[in-house]
Amino acid sequence: MSDTKSKSKELKEKLLMQRKNAFFRLTDDEVKVCDDFCEGYKNFMNSSKTEREAVITSAEILKSKGFVEYTNGMKLKAGDKIYRINRRKAVIAAVIGTENIENGVRLCAAHIDSPRLDLKQNPLYEDNEIALFKTHYYGGIKKYQWTTIPLSLHGVIVKADGTSVSVNIGEAENDPVFCVTDLLPHLANEQMKRPLAQGVKGEDLNIVIGSRPFRDDEASNAVKLNIMSILNEKYGIVEADFISAELEAVPAFKAKDVGFDRSLIGAYGHDDRVCAYPALMATVDCDSPKHTVVTVLTDKEETGSDGNTGLCSSYLKYFIADIAEALGSNGRTVLSASECLSADVNAAFDPTYPEVNERNNCAYVNKGVCITKYTGARGKSGTSDASAEFAGRIRRLMDSHNVIWQTGELGKVDEGGGGTVAAYIANLNVDTIDMGVPVLSMHAPYEIVSKIDTYMAYKAFAVFMAD
Ligand code: MN
Ligand code: MN
């Protein structure tokens, strides 16, 4: 009897897949390494609420670690550390490897834009003596989640004379914040009967920015005038300058530990900075790699990757061609031999909403970095679908370096779906697979990730870059 039992236990271990909580596979010291790594991540999050700010923070980190800005014509050799910024909204970092570049680069791609409320080009108006900003949401949001939370305003305004001014207000302790209102339940009978998607409509996402009129003015729109006067004093702008501005309203929350055990992190914009930061840190920690390492932190993923700062543009391809030529090869040859981890988040199983996931094929918090072979929707439409061979190679690589990982796809078949930049990189003839951190409440103003999973993403990227 006992023999049979031990035999089945032995067979189980040998034949069946284990999906243990990563905590049981780590010592207390190893868990502390994960937690310590996440202190740096929280700092990064608090100073990088938009793609522009993430580029500035990343460039500071890169420069402090000896990376220099790459310009065409620069001579390159093994060990060189370079970066290139694309229009202040995307950044590519590279470490030149010892191997011939014709054998391909190790590419890591994450995005640094997140869902938010963008100001319209003519945003400022007054209605019944309250001043507001009109917005157009950016990326996929559940609109009701963006009401009645403190918002900060970030971005840049280009004035008529061509000079520009940066805006960052609502983050410092004594800064004012901004807010989208919602109806009180007492008067929401009609609103509450609407389907959730229409409870708060796109044109309802108006941000309250003031309520006191300009004192000496008898005319209409005195509150608007007063706000414009404050903005003119603070930023030197006039109303028409909004036309050439990019102003983004984002949650004013700081990244914080979540839970009595502090095992999780709550923050705005984990998608996808929880992959961007580990990818960046793996790159700066990567000394004299065999293959050249290229990490791109891109913009515009949340709106489909179009535009010259998104990965449907050629900026990554051009960068690789430039360094390939500097090293005596060409972009086509290098890309065709390259491998890529498309570093993006996946949905974590939420015990409150279990019905959207298929339990054998979804990601769980604390079970490690998630490998996603394919994304897409309705019959894998829009996916690049990594080959079994490449999935096998990455799996072997992770296992041989004790990276704790899991596999999962985004929800049940036909429940919905989504994509990443994987397809656009795979389209350049690069072997590509998605790998990233599982997130709870993805695309909400406050998302949640696990500290262990976040560190495992760093470890996975580091192992891939060093291979
Ligand atoms: Mn993403
Ligand atoms: Mn997203």
Side-chain angles (χ1 to χ4, degrees), residues 292-341:
T292 293
V293 164
V294 176
T295 294
V296 56
L297 307 184
T298 193
D299 180 31
K300 292 285 177 284
E301 194 279 339
E302 294 295 356
T303 51
S305 295
D306 287 313
N308 57 15
T309 53
L311 273 190
C312 286
S313 113
S314 296
Y315 81 92
L316 174 65
K317 187 170 81 177
Y318 290 165
F319 176 80
I320 289 175
D322 290 345
I323 62 167
E325 282 162 31
L327 291 159
S329 182
N330 62 77
R332 192 183 67 221
T333 307
V334 172
L335 279 165
S336 302
S338 291
E339 295 180 342
C340 174
L341 294 183

Short mmCIF file of all heavy atoms in Angstrom, two decimals, residues 292-341:
data_model
loop_
_atom_site.label_atom_id
_atom_site.label_comp_id
_atom_site.label_asym_id
_atom_site.label_seq_id
_atom_site.Cartn_x
_atom_site.Cartn_y
_atom_site.Cartn_z
N THR A 292 24.94 40.60 -28.98
CA THR A 292 24.59 41.99 -28.72
C THR A 292 23.16 42.05 -28.16
O THR A 292 22.26 41.38 -28.67
CB THR A 292 24.70 42.81 -30.03
OG1 THR A 292 26.08 42.86 -30.40
CG2 THR A 292 24.15 44.22 -29.87
N VAL A 293 23.02 42.82 -27.11
CA VAL A 293 21.73 42.95 -26.44
C VAL A 293 21.08 44.27 -26.88
O VAL A 293 21.73 45.31 -26.87
CB VAL A 293 21.94 42.94 -24.91
CG1 VAL A 293 20.70 43.45 -24.18
CG2 VAL A 293 22.30 41.54 -24.44
N VAL A 294 19.83 44.21 -27.28
CA VAL A 294 19.10 45.43 -27.66
C VAL A 294 17.78 45.44 -26.90
O VAL A 294 16.99 44.49 -27.00
CB VAL A 294 18.83 45.49 -29.18
CG1 VAL A 294 17.99 46.72 -29.53
CG2 VAL A 294 20.14 45.49 -29.97
N THR A 295 17.56 46.49 -26.13
CA THR A 295 16.30 46.62 -25.39
C THR A 295 15.58 47.87 -25.84
O THR A 295 16.17 48.95 -25.85
CB THR A 295 16.57 46.67 -23.87
OG1 THR A 295 17.11 45.41 -23.47
CG2 THR A 295 15.29 46.94 -23.08
N VAL A 296 14.34 47.72 -26.23
CA VAL A 296 13.57 48.88 -26.67
C VAL A 296 12.39 49.09 -25.72
O VAL A 296 11.67 48.16 -25.38
CB VAL A 296 13.10 48.74 -28.15
CG1 VAL A 296 12.31 47.47 -28.39
CG2 VAL A 296 12.28 49.96 -28.58
N LEU A 297 12.27 50.32 -25.25
CA LEU A 297 11.11 50.72 -24.45
C LEU A 297 10.31 51.65 -25.35
O LEU A 297 10.71 52.77 -25.63
CB LEU A 297 11.55 51.42 -23.16
CG LEU A 297 12.58 50.67 -22.30
CD1 LEU A 297 12.85 51.43 -21.00
CD2 LEU A 297 12.12 49.24 -21.99
N THR A 298 9.18 51.16 -25.80
CA THR A 298 8.46 51.85 -26.87
C THR A 298 7.21 52.57 -26.39
O THR A 298 6.72 52.35 -25.29
CB THR A 298 8.11 50.85 -28.00
OG1 THR A 298 7.70 51.58 -29.16
CG2 THR A 298 6.96 49.93 -27.57
N ASP A 299 6.72 53.41 -27.25
CA ASP A 299 5.51 54.19 -27.02
C ASP A 299 4.38 53.58 -27.87
O ASP A 299 4.63 52.70 -28.69
CB ASP A 299 5.81 55.64 -27.46
CG ASP A 299 4.62 56.57 -27.28
OD1 ASP A 299 3.83 56.36 -26.37
OD2 ASP A 299 4.52 57.55 -28.07
N LYS A 300 3.16 54.02 -27.65
CA LYS A 300 2.00 53.78 -28.53
C LYS A 300 1.51 52.33 -28.61
O LYS A 300 0.69 52.01 -29.48
CB LYS A 300 2.29 54.28 -29.96
CG LYS A 300 2.40 55.80 -30.08
CD LYS A 300 1.05 56.47 -30.01
CE LYS A 300 1.16 57.99 -30.05
NZ LYS A 300 1.62 58.56 -28.75
N GLU A 301 1.97 51.45 -27.69
CA GLU A 301 1.46 50.08 -27.74
C GLU A 301 -0.03 50.06 -27.44
O GLU A 301 -0.78 49.31 -28.05
CB GLU A 301 2.22 49.20 -26.74
CG GLU A 301 2.00 47.69 -26.95
CD GLU A 301 0.71 47.15 -26.36
OE1 GLU A 301 0.13 47.79 -25.44
OE2 GLU A 301 0.24 46.09 -26.81
N GLU A 302 -0.44 50.91 -26.51
CA GLU A 302 -1.84 50.87 -26.06
C GLU A 302 -2.81 51.37 -27.12
O GLU A 302 -4.02 51.19 -26.98
CB GLU A 302 -2.01 51.66 -24.76
CG GLU A 302 -1.28 51.06 -23.57
CD GLU A 302 -1.80 49.69 -23.14
OE1 GLU A 302 -2.78 49.21 -23.73
OE2 GLU A 302 -1.21 49.10 -22.23
N THR A 303 -2.32 52.03 -28.17
CA THR A 303 -3.23 52.46 -29.23
C THR A 303 -2.95 51.72 -30.53
O THR A 303 -3.38 52.15 -31.60
CB THR A 303 -3.13 53.99 -29.47
OG1 THR A 303 -1.76 54.34 -29.65
CG2 THR A 303 -3.69 54.77 -28.28
N GLY A 304 -2.21 50.62 -30.45
CA GLY A 304 -2.03 49.79 -31.63
C GLY A 304 -0.66 49.85 -32.27
O GLY A 304 -0.46 49.30 -33.36
N SER A 305 0.29 50.57 -31.65
CA SER A 305 1.69 50.62 -32.09
C SER A 305 1.93 51.41 -33.36
O SER A 305 3.04 51.41 -33.90
CB SER A 305 2.29 49.21 -32.24
OG SER A 305 2.35 48.58 -30.99
N ASP A 306 0.91 52.12 -33.86
CA ASP A 306 1.13 52.97 -35.04
C ASP A 306 1.78 54.29 -34.62
O ASP A 306 1.82 54.62 -33.44
CB ASP A 306 -0.20 53.25 -35.75
CG ASP A 306 -0.70 52.02 -36.49
OD1 ASP A 306 0.11 51.39 -37.21
OD2 ASP A 306 -1.89 51.66 -36.34
N GLY A 307 2.26 55.03 -35.61
CA GLY A 307 2.93 56.30 -35.32
C GLY A 307 4.43 56.09 -35.23
O GLY A 307 4.91 54.96 -35.04
N ASN A 308 5.20 57.19 -35.36
CA ASN A 308 6.66 57.01 -35.46
C ASN A 308 7.36 56.67 -34.15
O ASN A 308 8.55 56.38 -34.14
CB ASN A 308 7.31 58.23 -36.15
CG ASN A 308 6.99 59.53 -35.42
OD1 ASN A 308 6.53 59.52 -34.29
ND2 ASN A 308 7.25 60.65 -36.08
N THR A 309 6.63 56.67 -33.03
CA THR A 309 7.24 56.22 -31.79
C THR A 309 6.70 54.85 -31.35
O THR A 309 7.04 54.36 -30.28
CB THR A 309 7.04 57.25 -30.66
OG1 THR A 309 5.64 57.57 -30.57
CG2 THR A 309 7.82 58.54 -30.93
N GLY A 310 5.85 54.26 -32.18
CA GLY A 310 5.32 52.92 -31.90
C GLY A 310 6.11 51.88 -32.68
O GLY A 310 6.84 52.21 -33.62
N LEU A 311 5.92 50.61 -32.32
CA LEU A 311 6.78 49.59 -32.94
C LEU A 311 6.33 49.15 -34.33
O LEU A 311 6.99 48.33 -34.95
CB LEU A 311 6.96 48.39 -32.02
CG LEU A 311 8.13 48.55 -31.04
CD1 LEU A 311 8.43 47.25 -30.31
CD2 LEU A 311 9.40 49.06 -31.72
N CYS A 312 5.24 49.72 -34.85
CA CYS A 312 4.95 49.49 -36.27
C CYS A 312 5.83 50.41 -37.12
O CYS A 312 5.92 50.22 -38.33
CB CYS A 312 3.49 49.75 -36.58
SG CYS A 312 2.42 48.46 -35.96
N SER A 313 6.44 51.41 -36.51
CA SER A 313 7.35 52.28 -37.26
C SER A 313 8.69 51.55 -37.43
O SER A 313 8.91 50.49 -36.86
CB SER A 313 7.54 53.62 -36.54
OG SER A 313 8.86 53.76 -36.06
N SER A 314 9.55 52.15 -38.24
CA SER A 314 10.82 51.48 -38.56
C SER A 314 11.95 51.85 -37.62
O SER A 314 13.09 51.48 -37.87
CB SER A 314 11.22 51.82 -39.99
OG SER A 314 10.27 51.30 -40.89
N TYR A 315 11.67 52.58 -36.55
CA TYR A 315 12.81 53.11 -35.78
C TYR A 315 13.69 52.03 -35.15
O TYR A 315 14.89 52.18 -35.08
CB TYR A 315 12.33 54.16 -34.75
CG TYR A 315 11.75 53.64 -33.46
CD1 TYR A 315 12.56 53.45 -32.34
CD2 TYR A 315 10.39 53.37 -33.33
CE1 TYR A 315 12.01 53.01 -31.14
CE2 TYR A 315 9.85 52.94 -32.14
CZ TYR A 315 10.66 52.75 -31.04
OH TYR A 315 10.13 52.31 -29.86
N LEU A 316 13.07 50.92 -34.75
CA LEU A 316 13.87 49.83 -34.17
C LEU A 316 14.70 49.14 -35.26
O LEU A 316 15.89 48.89 -35.10
CB LEU A 316 12.96 48.82 -33.47
CG LEU A 316 13.67 47.57 -32.95
CD1 LEU A 316 14.66 47.92 -31.85
CD2 LEU A 316 12.65 46.54 -32.45
N LYS A 317 14.02 48.90 -36.39
CA LYS A 317 14.68 48.27 -37.54
C LYS A 317 15.87 49.11 -38.00
O LYS A 317 16.95 48.59 -38.28
CB LYS A 317 13.64 48.15 -38.66
CG LYS A 317 14.06 47.37 -39.86
CD LYS A 317 12.87 47.13 -40.78
CE LYS A 317 12.57 48.33 -41.64
NZ LYS A 317 11.46 48.08 -42.59
N TYR A 318 15.67 50.43 -38.06
CA TYR A 318 16.75 51.33 -38.48
C TYR A 318 17.91 51.30 -37.50
O TYR A 318 19.08 51.30 -37.90
CB TYR A 318 16.23 52.77 -38.62
CG TYR A 318 15.28 53.02 -39.78
CD1 TYR A 318 14.51 54.17 -39.82
CD2 TYR A 318 15.15 52.10 -40.82
CE1 TYR A 318 13.64 54.41 -40.88
CE2 TYR A 318 14.27 52.33 -41.87
CZ TYR A 318 13.51 53.49 -41.90
OH TYR A 318 12.64 53.72 -42.93
N PHE A 319 17.60 51.27 -36.21
CA PHE A 319 18.67 51.25 -35.21
C PHE A 319 19.51 49.99 -35.37
O PHE A 319 20.75 50.04 -35.34
CB PHE A 319 18.08 51.31 -33.79
CG PHE A 319 19.12 51.19 -32.70
CD1 PHE A 319 19.89 52.29 -32.33
CD2 PHE A 319 19.34 49.97 -32.05
CE1 PHE A 319 20.86 52.18 -31.32
CE2 PHE A 319 20.31 49.85 -31.05
CZ PHE A 319 21.06 50.96 -30.69
N ILE A 320 18.82 48.86 -35.55
CA ILE A 320 19.56 47.61 -35.70
C ILE A 320 20.38 47.62 -36.99
O ILE A 320 21.53 47.18 -37.01
CB ILE A 320 18.60 46.40 -35.60
CG1 ILE A 320 18.15 46.31 -34.13
CG2 ILE A 320 19.28 45.11 -36.05
CD1 ILE A 320 17.13 45.26 -33.84
N ALA A 321 19.81 48.20 -38.04
CA ALA A 321 20.58 48.32 -39.30
C ALA A 321 21.80 49.21 -39.09
O ALA A 321 22.90 48.91 -39.58
CB ALA A 321 19.68 48.89 -40.40
N ASP A 322 21.63 50.31 -38.34
CA ASP A 322 22.74 51.22 -38.10
C ASP A 322 23.88 50.55 -37.34
O ASP A 322 25.04 50.68 -37.71
CB ASP A 322 22.26 52.46 -37.32
CG ASP A 322 21.37 53.36 -38.16
OD1 ASP A 322 21.36 53.20 -39.40
OD2 ASP A 322 20.68 54.23 -37.58
N ILE A 323 23.54 49.82 -36.27
CA ILE A 323 24.64 49.18 -35.53
C ILE A 323 25.20 47.99 -36.30
O ILE A 323 26.39 47.70 -36.23
CB ILE A 323 24.25 48.80 -34.07
CG1 ILE A 323 23.13 47.77 -34.01
CG2 ILE A 323 23.91 50.02 -33.24
CD1 ILE A 323 22.96 47.17 -32.61
N ALA A 324 24.33 47.33 -37.08
CA ALA A 324 24.82 46.22 -37.90
C ALA A 324 25.87 46.73 -38.89
O ALA A 324 26.95 46.14 -39.05
CB ALA A 324 23.66 45.57 -38.66
N GLU A 325 25.56 47.84 -39.54
CA GLU A 325 26.50 48.41 -40.52
C GLU A 325 27.78 48.88 -39.84
O GLU A 325 28.88 48.68 -40.37
CB GLU A 325 25.82 49.55 -41.29
CG GLU A 325 24.88 49.02 -42.37
CD GLU A 325 23.86 50.05 -42.87
OE1 GLU A 325 24.18 51.25 -42.87
OE2 GLU A 325 22.75 49.63 -43.24
N ALA A 326 27.64 49.47 -38.66
CA ALA A 326 28.84 49.92 -37.93
C ALA A 326 29.73 48.73 -37.57
O ALA A 326 30.93 48.89 -37.38
CB ALA A 326 28.42 50.67 -36.67
N LEU A 327 29.13 47.55 -37.50
CA LEU A 327 29.90 46.35 -37.14
C LEU A 327 30.17 45.48 -38.37
O LEU A 327 30.49 44.30 -38.26
CB LEU A 327 29.17 45.56 -36.06
CG LEU A 327 29.12 46.26 -34.69
CD1 LEU A 327 28.00 45.73 -33.82
CD2 LEU A 327 30.46 46.13 -33.95
N GLY A 328 29.97 46.05 -39.55
CA GLY A 328 30.33 45.37 -40.79
C GLY A 328 29.30 44.40 -41.33
O GLY A 328 29.63 43.53 -42.14
N SER A 329 28.06 44.51 -40.91
CA SER A 329 27.02 43.62 -41.44
C SER A 329 25.85 44.47 -41.97
O SER A 329 26.05 45.63 -42.32
CB SER A 329 26.56 42.65 -40.35
OG SER A 329 25.61 41.75 -40.88
N ASN A 330 24.68 43.90 -42.01
CA ASN A 330 23.52 44.68 -42.43
C ASN A 330 22.31 44.26 -41.62
O ASN A 330 22.26 43.16 -41.05
CB ASN A 330 23.25 44.50 -43.93
CG ASN A 330 22.93 43.06 -44.26
OD1 ASN A 330 21.82 42.60 -44.00
ND2 ASN A 330 23.89 42.33 -44.78
N GLY A 331 21.31 45.14 -41.58
CA GLY A 331 20.14 44.93 -40.74
C GLY A 331 19.37 43.66 -41.05
O GLY A 331 18.93 42.96 -40.15
N ARG A 332 19.25 43.37 -42.35
CA ARG A 332 18.46 42.21 -42.78
C ARG A 332 19.06 40.91 -42.21
O ARG A 332 18.35 40.08 -41.65
CB ARG A 332 18.47 42.17 -44.30
CG ARG A 332 17.50 41.22 -44.92
CD ARG A 332 17.67 41.22 -46.43
NE ARG A 332 18.95 40.65 -46.83
CZ ARG A 332 19.74 41.13 -47.79
NH1 ARG A 332 19.39 42.19 -48.47
NH2 ARG A 332 20.88 40.54 -48.08
N THR A 333 20.36 40.77 -42.37
CA THR A 333 21.05 39.57 -41.88
C THR A 333 20.93 39.45 -40.36
O THR A 333 20.64 38.37 -39.83
CB THR A 333 22.54 39.63 -42.27
OG1 THR A 333 22.62 39.85 -43.68
CG2 THR A 333 23.28 38.36 -41.90
N VAL A 334 21.13 40.57 -39.69
CA VAL A 334 21.13 40.55 -38.22
C VAL A 334 19.73 40.22 -37.70
O VAL A 334 19.56 39.34 -36.84
CB VAL A 334 21.63 41.89 -37.65
CG1 VAL A 334 21.45 41.95 -36.14
CG2 VAL A 334 23.10 42.09 -38.02
N LEU A 335 18.72 40.92 -38.22
CA LEU A 335 17.35 40.68 -37.75
C LEU A 335 16.93 39.23 -37.97
O LEU A 335 16.32 38.61 -37.10
CB LEU A 335 16.37 41.63 -38.45
CG LEU A 335 16.30 43.03 -37.86
CD1 LEU A 335 15.62 43.99 -38.82
CD2 LEU A 335 15.59 43.03 -36.50
N SER A 336 17.28 38.69 -39.13
CA SER A 336 16.84 37.32 -39.46
C SER A 336 17.44 36.28 -38.52
O SER A 336 16.90 35.18 -38.39
CB SER A 336 17.21 36.99 -40.91
OG SER A 336 16.60 37.93 -41.77
N ALA A 337 18.54 36.62 -37.87
CA ALA A 337 19.17 35.68 -36.93
C ALA A 337 18.84 36.02 -35.47
O ALA A 337 19.36 35.38 -34.56
CB ALA A 337 20.69 35.70 -37.15
N SER A 338 17.99 37.01 -35.26
CA SER A 338 17.76 37.50 -33.90
C SER A 338 16.61 36.79 -33.18
O SER A 338 15.76 36.15 -33.81
CB SER A 338 17.48 39.01 -33.94
OG SER A 338 18.64 39.70 -34.31
N GLU A 339 16.62 36.95 -31.87
CA GLU A 339 15.55 36.41 -31.03
C GLU A 339 15.02 37.53 -30.17
O GLU A 339 15.77 38.43 -29.78
CB GLU A 339 16.10 35.32 -30.10
CG GLU A 339 16.61 34.10 -30.84
CD GLU A 339 17.14 33.03 -29.88
OE1 GLU A 339 17.43 33.37 -28.71
OE2 GLU A 339 17.24 31.88 -30.32
N CYS A 340 13.72 37.46 -29.85
CA CYS A 340 13.11 38.55 -29.07
C CYS A 340 12.18 38.04 -27.98
O CYS A 340 11.37 37.15 -28.20
CB CYS A 340 12.32 39.47 -30.01
SG CYS A 340 11.38 40.75 -29.14
N LEU A 341 12.33 38.64 -26.81
CA LEU A 341 11.30 38.50 -25.78
C LEU A 341 10.44 39.74 -25.86
O LEU A 341 10.92 40.85 -25.65
CB LEU A 341 11.92 38.38 -24.39
CG LEU A 341 12.74 37.14 -24.10
CD1 LEU A 341 13.22 37.15 -22.65
CD2 LEU A 341 11.97 35.85 -24.40
#
